[in-house]
Amino acid sequence: MLKIRNLRAKVVDGPDILKGIDLDVNAGEIHAVMGPNGSGKSTLSRVLAGHPDYEVTGGTVEFEINREPKDLLAMEAHERACAGVFLAFQYPTEIPGVSNSVFLRAAFNAICRAQGVPSVDAFDFRALLTEKLALIGMDDSYLERPVNLDFSGGEKKRNEILQMAVLAPRLAILDETDSGLDVDSLRIVAEGVKSLCTPHNATLMITHYQRMLEYITPDIVHVLMDGRIVRTGDHTLAKAVETRGYDWVRDEA
Amino acid sequence: MTDALAERSKEYKYGFVTDVEMDKLPKGLNEGIVRAISARKKEPDFLLQFRLDAFKWWQEQEPPAWAHVEFPPIDFQDIHYYAAPKSMSDGPQSLDDVDPELLKTFDRLGVPLHERERLAGVAVDAVFDSVSVGTTHQDLLNEMGVIFCSFSEAAHKHPELIKRYLGTVVPPHDNFYAALNSAVFSDGSFVFVPKGVKCPIDLSTYFRINASNTGQFERTLIVCEEGASVSYVEGCTAPSRDENQLHAAIVELIALDDASIKYSTVQNWYGGDAEGRGGIYNFVVKRGRCEGRRSKISWTQVEAGSAITWKYPSVILKGDDSVGEFYSVALTNNKMQADTGTKMIHIGKNTKSTIISKGISCDQSRNSYRGLVRMTPGATGARNYSQCDSMLVGDQCEANTFPYLEIHNQSAIVEHEATTSRISGDQLFYLQSRGLDSEAAISLLVNGFCKEVFKTLPLEFSVEAVKLLEMKLEDSVG
Ligand SMILES: Nc1ncnc2c1ncn2[C@@H]1O[C@H](COP(=O)(O)OP(=O)(O)OP(=O)(O)O)[C@@H](O)[C@H]1O
Ligand SMILES: [Mg+2]
């Protein structure tokens, strides 16, 4: 579904951050990406989502749309979202004045329109929201609040997953969704994410810890260091990183 | 058209010029000009005296300088004070006789005047430079006893009403620009809704500045008798020019017992280019008086144009239990400057006022809210609620809030809230990453910020207003 080859990217007017990433993600797979602070994990996620601050200096990203590989990098951010790419942000943005429910419905209908599916009316959408709220363990009161405004750190993370549940992406990139969640919230959110994983979609989880992976066992784990994937393995790699840190990976690379 | 002008007109789609033969008075201001304007309009003598008195006072005044705006001194002798299409020189005519070129102009502006195409549910008075071109829906309004016509026509047909109400809310000696307008006002609209009549359609005036080096000094007077109500909408545009043009209008509203007036403005005068060249100086005095008990006056303004906007639509709450409202969205971009807000003067008992102001500043513009709430000693039980929010787009713009409170009655309650926020590239990206294109994303942000104001506009105008702001913001955001 996603095929990244030798992807290089930098901040506009800055040095290279991604220095040749290769990554294949197939439908039905769950990947974890780990790596030290500043190694480029969030950069990778934002480049895939189409953030304008980054300039791709080399490489290709193919994303399968209707079974055809498409050049993801040629698409605008909103087109990528409409094609099923979703990024749960490490630091979700606050949007004053726009309520969560208005925002979610606007996004949902924009994606429906782009995919040629009829959009839903306010009533049916409410029913969908109620179901997804329950899945993530959130109550109604968040719907009428402005998007992320004055949400606690953990509430923001949960709100990202609510959006994921509503928008049902084919490729979900979760950037440190586990950081900032308390023990109980982590369980609820992780189980929610797990229930959203199907043979038709794929998930890329960026994380520093094993704890989320205990609920959702990744098929493949990557270690990103200094803008490159230096090691790939099965779920035991995540355990090894957690107990031994990154030095040995660096030494062996 | 030069390339630069063409380029600019692309952004400001109302920037075109209509080529018609004009009857212009020579530049400059003196008693002779004042008399000539009055003579052109064949006015009754009391109006000439009104003008001359205002002019005399004006000559002794200095232009005020307290607003938080900067501009070179205006040379009042370098302006034409009267310009009208030659074809209109015989005074008001029926719409059938109007020069097709003028009708075409209003078509292009989206305000068709012909019977066939005109907007349903809205009667329009179209003002071109110093004269009214025509007013639609006369038959329906006549039937209801509603008077809606150009000010010049009212001066002929209803001199007693004009004499009774003109200058009673904004006296000619009120301030420099009020005196200037009172001396040289050209055209505008007059509305009179008699006792007990609820005007069945929205009334609207569309002001178009076309001639160069010409000031526009319109005068609007709206009177609602006991139990009457009306919703009035004002729109305006001007060609894109390198020079600055002065627009100094006066609007007076009077509401008697149980009357209600809703006045909405969508202001989109040319605002100058990115370097701050050209644009309209929009210096306007708008004031309403809730004369009667339980009367209500509500101002809604969407200010999206003009090089400088300097205005404070205000309400004098004289009748007991009367209500004043001010809802405002002011957007400035490029190097535009706005110093706008309101005055709520509480005189009667249990009077209530609400102020909701939303300022959006982009690029290198300057946007200030200035508002006065005065509770006079007699205003027992009066209340005011004010909310002033600013949104910054980019980091070179400026937003200010200058609230003034004068409380002379201890039972009065005043609440004030203010916030400042910023539209950032991150917010846009966040929305885009959820499937919204940049247009939809900006529209969501702007609507979210301005929704309390937009919902007070008549529906078709709120759609217009949203589109207008989106268009202006698109270049400035991200
Ligand atoms: N917009 C930007 N402007 C300047 N520098 C940036 C920008 N984005 C990323 N960087 C730099 O690129 C490097 C990689 O950052 P990135 O956020 O991708 O790291 P990360 O792997 O997600 O780290 P963490 O684990 O701390 O979240 C860092 O050195 C960061 O400072
Ligand atoms: Mg990160």
Side-chain angles (χ1 to χ4, degrees):
Chain A
M1 163 191 289
L2 181 73
K3 194 162 133 190
I4 304 177
R5 288 291 173 273
N6 195 24
L7 178 65
R8 296 170 160 274
K10 59 173 196 162
V11 179
V12 177
D13 303 327
D16 274 3
I17 302 172
L18 302 183
K19 299 172 180 167
I21 302 266
D22 292 298
L23 182 65
D24 285 283
V25 179
N26 296 308
E29 289 179 352
I30 298 172
H31 290 235
V33 176
M34 305 180 81
N37 295 135
S39 56
K41 303 181 298 297
S42 295
T43 302
L44 174 63
S45 72
R46 283 192 291 248
V47 167
L48 292 177
H51 198 292
D53 282 359
Y54 301 92
E55 187 185 319
V56 173
T57 51
T60 57
V61 178
E62 277 178 5
F63 184 63
E64 224 169 73
I65 302 173
N66 296 328
R67 297 174 202 283
E68 298 258 343
K70 288 273 156 60
D71 178 3
L72 190 70
L73 299 175
M75 297 163 69
E76 297 208 45
H78 72 275
E79 295 170 334
R80 301 182 197 195
C82 290
V85 176
F86 178 89
L87 169 58
F89 287 76
Q90 183 175 2
Y91 304 109
T93 310
E94 299 188 345
I95 317 274
V98 180
S99 77
N100 236 351
S101 62
V102 165
F103 164 58
L104 279 167
R105 185 154 165 245
F108 186 84
N109 282 339
I111 293 176
C112 284
R113 266 195 305 280
Q115 298 185 348
V117 185
S119 43
V120 296
D121 65 22
F123 190 75
D124 290 346
F125 188 68
R126 192 69 191 206
L128 176 79
L129 277 184
T130 307
E131 180 200 324
K132 303 301 180 189
L133 279 167
L135 181 75
I136 311 300
M138 286 171 79
D139 65 62
D140 279 13
S141 68
Y142 292 97
L143 291 181
E144 296 322 314
R145 285 177 59 179
V147 180
N148 294 329
L149 188 68
D150 301 323
F151 282 29
S152 75
E155 288 168 340
K156 284 183 183 166
K157 294 302 180 66
R158 234 184 236 233
N159 203 31
E160 294 293 286
I161 301 307
L162 173 68
Q163 294 173 40
M164 173 184 165
V166 170
L167 302 179
R170 287 194 303 128
L171 174 67
I173 305 165
L174 310 184
D175 192 356
E176 293 196 32
T177 296
D178 51 349
S179 318
L181 289 175
D182 66 47
V183 182
D184 295 325
S185 304
L186 178 71
R187 179 177 43 80
I188 296 166
V189 168
E191 281 170 356
V193 169
K194 192 175 176 186
S195 74
L196 296 170
C197 294
T198 72
H200 307 291
N201 62 27
T203 307
L204 195 67
M205 283 189 293
I206 296 170
T207 184
H208 287 296
Y209 309 106
Q210 176 63 21
R211 22 182 237 165
M212 180 117 162
L213 305 182
E214 260 150 31
Y215 295 100
I216 313 170
T217 313
D219 301 299
I220 302 169
V221 176
H222 310 273
V223 174
L224 186 68
M225 287 176 93
D226 193 23
R228 287 189 192 89
I229 290 178
V230 294
R231 199 176 181 105
T232 294
D234 63 11
H235 67 275
T236 58
L237 176 57
K239 273 220 173 68
V241 165
E242 183 150 287
T243 44
R244 298 172 62 190
Y246 290 107
D247 286 347
W248 67 276
V249 188
R250 188 176 284 125
D251 294 342
E252 288 183 17
Chain B
M1 220 190 272
T2 65
D3 283 354
L5 261 181
E7 186 58 35
R8 238 174 299 150
S9 311
K10 237 190 290 159
E11 292 155 25
Y12 182 74
K13 66 176 172 174
Y14 308 111
F16 64 91
V17 178
T18 307
D19 190 14
V20 286
E21 234 190 301
M22 297 297 280
D23 166 27
K24 264 189 191 180
L25 287 175
K27 275 184 183 176
L29 186 51
N30 50 52
E31 193 183 312
I33 292 283
V34 174
R35 285 179 181 278
I37 292 171
S38 187
R40 280 284 196 292
K41 296 188 169 287
K42 306 186 178 74
E43 282 176 352
D45 186 60
F46 80 89
L47 273 180
L48 174 62
Q49 297 312 322
F50 180 90
R51 290 177 184 277
L52 290 173
D53 165 66
F55 178 66
K56 207 169 142 222
W57 189 82
W58 178 79
Q59 278 181 304
E60 296 154 8
Q61 307 302 312
E62 289 295 322
W66 46 264
H68 188 54
V69 295
E70 279 165 24
F71 57 96
I74 297 174
D75 181 354
F76 290 95
Q77 298 305 332
D78 195 35
I79 295 174
H80 291 282
Y81 287 84
Y82 183 87
K86 273 246 168 67
S87 59
M88 301 300 298
S89 59
D90 295 331
Q93 350 175 356
S94 112
L95 272 172
D96 300 332
D97 307 327
V98 171
D99 181 348
E101 205 49 44
L102 293 176
L103 293 179
K104 242 193 277 168
T105 299
F106 285 99
D107 277 354
R108 257 181 99 175
L109 297 170
V111 195
L113 301 176
H114 337 265
E115 192 87 40
R116 295 170 278 123
E117 292 153 25
R118 67 198 190 188
L119 309 168
V122 187
V124 178
D125 180 22
V127 177
F128 189 89
D129 290 327
S130 306
V131 292
S132 166
V133 168
T135 311
T136 67
H137 289 82
Q138 284 301 314
D139 299 348
L140 172 67
L141 295 172
N142 279 339
E143 226 168 85
M144 310 281 301
V146 175
I147 302 171
F148 176 42
C149 62
S150 72
F151 197 91
S152 309
E153 191 178 336
H156 291 115
K157 293 195 179 155
H158 311 283
E160 68 302 337
L161 289 174
I162 299 289
K163 201 167 177 177
R164 180 166 348 142
Y165 291 111
L166 181 71
T168 60
V169 186
V170 182
H173 300 184
D174 192 81
N175 67 66
F176 182 85
Y177 289 103
L180 177 63
N181 175 287
S182 299
V184 302
F185 66 86
S186 35
D187 223 335
S189 299
F190 175 65
V191 175
F192 179 82
V193 189
K195 202 168 169 169
V197 173
K198 312 250 175 265
C199 187
I201 52 175
D202 286 352
L203 305 184
S204 162
T205 304
Y206 195 95
F207 294 101
R208 174 68 176 171
I209 294 182
N210 187 63
S212 56
N213 296 308
T214 304
Q216 194 172 39
F217 304 94
E218 90 253 3
R219 184 103 199 181
T220 295
L221 174 59
I222 300 179
V223 180
C224 268
E225 286 194 328
E226 291 84 352
S229 70
V230 69
S231 165
Y232 178 92
V233 187
E234 174 197 86
C236 36
T237 55
S240 314
R241 288 205 175 92
D242 275 345
E243 66 189 77
N244 293 109
Q245 273 177 288
L246 179 62
H247 170 257
I250 291 183
V251 176
E252 296 179 280
L253 312 181
I254 296 159
L256 304 187
D257 285 356
D258 300 295
S260 149
I261 302 176
K262 184 173 163 53
Y263 191 107
S264 314
T265 305
V266 177
Q267 186 263 112
N268 187 24
W269 297 115
Y270 178 55
D273 65 10
E275 269 72 60
R277 271 189 307 252
I280 301 293
Y281 290 164
N282 187 33
F283 300 167
V284 173
V285 183
K286 286 183 165 163
R287 196 177 300 158
R289 196 169 64 236
C290 283
E291 182 70 45
R293 291 160 160 259
R294 295 170 303 274
S295 57
K296 176 175 174 182
I297 288 179
S298 179
W299 298 101
T300 298
Q301 60 171 20
V302 176
E303 301 287 324
S306 295
I308 301 178
T309 296
W310 187 3
K311 59 182 272 205
Y312 313 92
S314 303
V315 184
I316 299 167
L317 295 140
K318 181 158 172 261
D320 291 348
D321 299 295
S322 59
V323 175
E325 294 174 338
F326 174 74
Y327 299 100
S328 170
V329 170
L331 175 138
T332 51
N333 64 354
N334 292 336
K335 292 197 169 173
M336 283 162 56
Q337 308 175 61
D339 191 314
T340 183
T342 185
K343 288 188 264 184
M344 292 291 174
I345 311 294
H346 291 255
I347 297 170
K349 293 192 185 59
N350 301 317
T351 46
K352 276 200 199 70
S353 63
T354 304
I355 299 172
I356 309 279
S357 161
K358 307 281 177 174
I360 306 174
S361 358
C362 314
D363 306 327
Q364 299 173 48
S365 67
R366 184 187 279 190
N367 201 327
S368 305
Y369 167 82
R370 189 185 301 276
L372 165 71
V373 176
R374 179 185 295 152
M375 301 294 185
T376 62
T380 303
R383 305 187 70 135
N384 162 265
Y385 172 75
S386 303
Q387 184 189 329
C388 304
D389 299 324
S390 309
M391 187 185 252
L392 302 167
V393 181
D395 49 16
Q396 294 186 58
C397 52
E398 190 185 315
N400 307 286
T401 307
F402 304 110
Y404 305 88
L405 293 177
E406 298 175 8
I407 316 288
H408 303 291
N409 183 308
Q410 287 318 306
S411 70
I413 301 174
V414 174
E415 288 172 81
H416 181 90
E417 290 175 27
T419 65
T420 301
S421 57
R422 200 177 274 281
I423 288 196
S424 61
D426 277 338
Q427 286 175 343
L428 268 188
F429 177 66
Y430 190 77
L431 297 175
Q432 286 166 339
S433 77
R434 299 300 183 246
L436 300 167
D437 60 23
S438 68
E439 215 167 295
I442 292 170
S443 146
L444 201 62
L445 290 170
V446 171
N447 263 307
F449 184 64
C450 304
K451 58 180 179 260
E452 291 117 305
V453 175
F454 286 158
K455 75 177 181 219
T456 70
L457 281 172
L459 187 64
E460 60 273 33
F461 292 93
S462 88
V463 174
E464 270 301 297
V466 173
K467 271 199 248 148
L468 178 61
L469 294 195
E470 280 166 13
M471 205 180 71
K472 300 233 161 183
L473 275 169
E474 219 151 310
D475 291 339
S476 305
V477 179

